[in-house]
């Protein structure tokens, strides 16, 4: 039984505005105003990221799944919440 393949991903910087991910040779900003699920995350929770497939990122400590495309083009993926409903 083969093991799970994961790609190399690294959080390179965290600031009050967001954090930067290094995906292979591409660096992407994940701003907290567009990705609010990370705002109250600890450094450990944000830094523990998995990249199981080319378009899928997962933060197990926060139980957050994101498409890489949603970081590259957040306007194509508007936030939707039924928290008020």
């Amino acid at each position: 039984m083969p093991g799970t393949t994961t790609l190399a991903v690294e959080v390179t910087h965290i600031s009050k505005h967001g954090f930067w991910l290094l995906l292979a040779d591409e660096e992407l900003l994940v701003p907290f105003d567009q990705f609010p699920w990370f705002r109250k995350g600890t450094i450990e929770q944000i830094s523990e990221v998995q990249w199981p497939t080319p378009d899928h990122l997962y933060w197990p400590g926060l139980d957050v799944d994101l498409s890489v495309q949603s970081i590259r083009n957040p306007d194509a993926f508007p936030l939707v919440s039924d928290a008020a409903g």
Side-chain angles (χ1 to χ4, degrees):
M1 175 186 244
T4 303
T5 301
T6 57
L7 303 168
V9 59
E10 179 182 352
V11 174
T12 60
H13 182 74
I14 300 174
S15 78
K16 66 180 182 177
H17 304 290
F19 62 95
W20 285 258
L21 284 174
L22 183 61
L23 306 173
D25 61 351
E26 177 182 22
E27 194 165 33
L28 298 170
L29 171 62
V30 182
F32 294 138
D33 63 341
Q34 292 178 339
F35 299 92
W37 313 282
F38 299 103
R39 189 179 310 274
K40 292 189 179 178
T42 65
I43 291 172
E44 182 178 343
Q45 290 171 319
I46 292 171
S47 297
E48 184 187 352
V49 56
Q50 301 170 2
W51 191 18
T53 65
D55 191 49
H56 178 223
L57 294 166
Y58 178 60
W59 286 263
L62 297 167
D63 195 28
V64 172
D65 288 274
L66 282 181
S67 162
V68 174
Q69 290 302 318
S70 72
I71 299 169
R72 288 182 183 132
N73 187 11
D75 293 337
F77 298 83
L79 297 178
V80 177
S81 173
D82 66 354

